[in-house]
Amino acid sequence: MIEIKSLTKLYKNKRGIRGISLDIRDGEILGLLGPNGSGKTTLMKALLSLVPDYSGDIIVDGNDLRDDLENVLARTGALIEAPSVYKRLTAYQNLCLAARRQEDTEDIDRVLDIVGLSQYKNERAGHFSLGMKQRLGIAAAVLGTPDIIVLDEPTNGLDIESVVELREYIHKLNRENGTTFIISGHIASEIEKLCTRAAVIYEGEIIANESIEKILSLYPSMEEFFLNKVRERRGSI
C-alpha cells in the first residue's frame, strides 16, 4: 500500500530522518519503535504531508503522495503528538469538526463509546484531563473507519485498562476491516503486544525491520531485539 523511498527530512539541528526506505503492507499493523528524538514523528508527519519539504518519495497505491494528497488524506485518520482539541467545544462538537465526510457524524457516538467518553460527550474538552484529551484524539483518528490510521504514541496519558481496551480495538479494526495501522512508540513491550511488524528507528535511520513473529522466534522479547540492534548499530559506527 505505501512505499517510502530514500525519505530524508533534516532540521536545522541536524535531527530528523535520513534515507529511510520502507514498505508498509496493506492490512498490517506497523510499529515504529525508537527512543524520543529518533525520527518517528517526523516520518509520520511526512506521511501526512505535514513536512512537505522532504526529499525522496512516498507512494500510496501506486501514486505519488504529492500528486494524490487529497485522496490519501480522505482515507487516513491520524493522531500526531498532542491531540488537537478545541477547548470551548464539547467532545461531540470536536468530533463533528473532525469528521471527514457528512456520514461520519453518524459514527460519533460509537467511537465515543469505544474510548470511554460517552458520558462526557456534552462536556467542554477544556475541562478534560490529559488522558481524556488523548482518548478524544484517538476517537477523531478512527472516526469513520479510515483505510489507514496513523497514531503517534497513542497510549500516552492512558491508564492500564484504557491501554488494553485501545489495543483490543485496534486489533478488531485490523481484523474485521483490514485497516492498516502505523503506530509509533518507545516502549518495546507495547509494540510487541500491539503490532504485527516492527521497524526500529535510531538516530533518524531504520536499523531493523522484521515481523513480530520472527522477532520473538529469535529473541526472548522485543526489548532484547531492540537493545541488540542498537548495540550492533553503535558497534558499526
Side-chain angles (χ1 to χ4, degrees):
M1 174 179 279
I2 303 172
E3 299 174 76
I4 300 170
K5 301 178 180 180
S6 302
L7 190 65
T8 297
K9 167 61 183 179
L10 295 175
Y11 301 101
K12 291 182 179 179
N13 60 7
K14 303 303 180 182
R15 294 175 75 174
I17 53 177
R18 300 176 183 83
I20 285 183
S21 294
L22 183 67
D23 288 343
I24 303 169
R25 304 176 192 114
D26 188 15
E28 77 173 339
I29 307 175
L30 174 68
L32 300 175
L33 176 62
N36 292 331
S38 60
K40 302 186 302 296
T41 299
T42 298
L43 175 55
M44 291 180 139
K45 285 183 174 180
L47 290 171
L48 299 167
S49 200
L50 296 177
V51 284
D53 52 336
Y54 58 80
S55 64
D57 298 298
I58 300 173
I59 310 298
V60 183
D61 290 339
N63 299 313
D64 191 295
L65 178 64
R66 298 178 181 92
D67 301 326
D68 198 32
L69 181 59
E70 184 176 350
N71 179 52
V72 172
L73 293 184
R75 300 167 49 211
T76 303
L79 171 62
I80 300 293
E81 296 180 322
S84 179
V85 172
Y86 294 93
K87 296 180 180 180
R88 291 179 175 269
L89 301 182
T90 66
Y92 188 91
Q93 289 169 332
N94 267 276
L95 292 180
C96 284
L97 290 178
R100 300 167 192 80
R101 302 163 299 178
Q102 183 61 39
E103 55 266 35
D104 287 350
T105 58
E106 300 172 5
D107 197 35
I108 291 176
D109 285 327
R110 183 182 68 86
V111 296
L112 282 171
D113 182 60
I114 288 167
V115 299
L117 290 179
S118 291
Q119 61 182 314
Y120 307 107
K121 63 181 289 185
N122 295 316
E123 289 192 19
R124 288 188 179 183
H127 299 154
F128 285 2
S129 66
L130 173 61
M132 292 172 72
K133 289 177 181 176
Q134 187 75 355
R135 291 185 188 196
L136 185 58
I138 293 168
V142 303
L143 185 64
T145 317
D147 298 328
I148 305 166
I149 298 178
V150 180
L151 300 175
D152 187 16
E153 302 198 1
T155 59
N156 279 354
L158 299 184
D159 56 39
I160 294 173
E161 186 177 9
S162 297
V163 169
V164 172
E165 290 173 350
L166 174 62
R167 187 190 308 146
E168 291 174 348
Y169 178 61
I170 287 172
H171 287 162
K172 181 180 179 181
L173 271 182
N174 175 257
R175 181 176 64 252
E176 296 181 359
N177 299 309
T179 306
T180 301
F181 283 90
I182 304 163
I183 301 172
S184 73
H186 59 272
I187 300 175
S189 60
E190 192 56 44
I191 294 295
E192 177 182 322
K193 294 173 184 176
L194 186 56
C195 301
T196 57
R197 187 158 62 97
V200 176
I201 300 184
Y202 188 74
E203 295 184 347
E205 299 179 6
I206 299 285
I207 63 171
N209 175 25
E210 198 57 78
S211 72
I212 301 296
E213 182 179 11
K214 184 171 182 180
I215 290 169
L216 296 182
S217 73
L218 299 172
Y219 297 86
S221 67
M222 179 65 65
E223 184 177 272
E224 286 297 322
F225 170 73
F226 173 79
L227 292 173
N228 181 272
K229 294 304 176 183
V230 169
R231 292 189 194 105
E232 288 180 358
R233 168 67 176 173
R234 289 173 176 169
S236 67
I237 297 176

